[in-house]
């Protein structure tokens, strides 16, 4: 069989059959449990590595990951799994994760929550991963030196991150052995993995193609202080540029809600502030990205989808939609945003599709947002968050309570 390169814990390449035998065997100190203190100890040490100032400055997204994995946050997440009555909660079993290459830290969230639920895990890390993903793997391996010998032995035995070339044999074996398969990526990735059968009791947890957009209240913008407006632009920068707008939760369109004149003025001020944030961050757009941005923008204009196109250097392109009902959901190039005006949030309701995931918002009241989501009635949109929080991972993602999905309930009645 083709061998797998072991990235965490670092070790010699291993055959898939041997790897499966190792992760399914009882580890030193006994099998993992939901909220296992050995996993909590390891993940907490790992989080501290991510929050080291030098690493957090180099990869800001890792600071968010480190915050999510702090001991207090883990305890808060695990508290949601408390059971009562006849139910007992247990790990689901072996979990096989296949994350995307374009958002190179998402695999850590998925893996960490599954490990906290007490599962042995095998994560396929893309051979194309670089930068932050490599820093994560280094931090994971370094954290093994900071935990007790028993914890290190347990983590080594039950948690594996591997890289392998495309292989029907390996993907098929890992899929058939899994109790749960977690697939992140596009619709094509989900379809490709589903050709490998699962055991009859097993199932998939899929995160296919999604798109996201932003809404801003004209009234809320007008009432905001200059500091709040600047913070909104900085938050929007984080939402959009950390992963070159390729993340499923990064907004690709901005709707200004309120009167038309106010929307025009607010939009112009917001884009000027965003351009100044890009300058302050010394953001550099790769030449290929700049070309893609212009090709997409002019292509949309030729197709009659936009009435005007404006560029603020290579980093920011704004496309004024001709018809607000035709919302572009595809990636148009990093820093390319459709822009439109709406009189009310309710006008968005018939435009939302099931694939719409995150709405980043500024300036609305909670009551306004609850009314909007209630009107949607589950037809689309899984989360509504303030500007700056679109990429902030949570235990509930795409409508799934992940810790609950990674565990199972057994009822006992006497």
């Amino acid at each position: 069989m083709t061998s797998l390169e072991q990235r965490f814990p670092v070790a010699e390449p291993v055959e898939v059959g041997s790897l499966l035998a190792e992760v399914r065997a009882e580890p030193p100190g006994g099998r993992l449990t939901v909220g296992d203190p050995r996993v909590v100890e390891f993940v907490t040490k790992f989080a501290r590595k991510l929050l080291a100032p030098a690493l957090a400055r180099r990869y800001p997204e890792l600071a968010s990951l480190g915050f999510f994995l702090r001991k207090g946050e883990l305890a808060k997440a695990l508290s949601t799994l408390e059971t009562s009555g006849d139910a007992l909660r247990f790990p689901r079993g072996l979990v096989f994760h296949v994350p995307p290459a374009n958002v190179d830290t998402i695999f850590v969230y998925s893996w960490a929550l599954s490990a906290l639920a007490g599962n042995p895990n095998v994560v396929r890390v893309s051979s194309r991963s670089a930068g932050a993903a490599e820093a994560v793997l280094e931090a994971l391996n370094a954290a093994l030196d900071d935990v007790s010998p028993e914890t290190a032995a347990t983590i080594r035995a039950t948690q594996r991150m591997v890289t392998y070339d495309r292989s029907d044999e390996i993907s098929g074996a890992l899929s058939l052995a899994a109790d749960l398969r977690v697939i992140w990526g596009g619709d094509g990735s989900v379809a490709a993995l589903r050709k490998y059968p699962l055991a009859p009791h097993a199932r998939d947890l899929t995160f296919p193609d999604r798109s996201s957009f932003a809404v801003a209240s004209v009234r809320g913008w007008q009432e905001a202080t200059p500091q709040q407006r600047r913070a909104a632009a900085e938050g929007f920068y984080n939402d959009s540029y950390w992963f070159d707008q390729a993340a499923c939760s990064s907004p690709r369109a901005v709707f200004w809600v309120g009167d038309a004149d106010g929307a025009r003025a607010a939009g112009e001020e917001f884009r000027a502030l965003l351009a100044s944030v890009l300058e302050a961050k010394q953001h550099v757009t790769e030449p290929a990205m700049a070309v893609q941005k212009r090709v997409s923008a002019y292509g949309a204009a030729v197709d009659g989808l936009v009435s005007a196109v404006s560029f603020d250097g290579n980093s920011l392109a704004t496309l004024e939609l001709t018809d607000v009902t035709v919302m572009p959901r595809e990636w148009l190039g990093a820093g390319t945003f459709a822009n439109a005006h709406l009189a009310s949030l309710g006008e968005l309701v018939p435009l939302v599709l099931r694939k719409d995931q995150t709405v980043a918002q500024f300036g609305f009241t909670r009551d306004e947002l609850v009314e909007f989501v209630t009107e949607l009635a589950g037809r689309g949109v899984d989360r509504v968050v303030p500007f700056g929080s679109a990429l902030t991972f949570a235990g509930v993602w795409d409508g799934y309570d992940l810790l609950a999905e990674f565990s199972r309930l057994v009822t006992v009645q006497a």
Side-chain angles (χ1 to χ4, degrees), residues 180-199:
L180 179 67
R181 182 171 57 187
V182 183
I183 309 172
W184 299 83
D187 295 351
S189 298
V190 173
L193 265 294
R194 277 183 165 165
K195 74 180 183 180
Y196 304 113
L198 295 168

Side-chain angles (χ1 to χ4, degrees), residues 326-349:
V326 184
M327 185 198 312
R329 290 177 168 85
E330 69 277 15
W331 183 81
L332 299 175
T336 305
F337 304 96
N339 190 73
H341 159 253
L342 298 171
S344 70
L345 270 181
E347 292 183 25
L348 268 176
V349 172

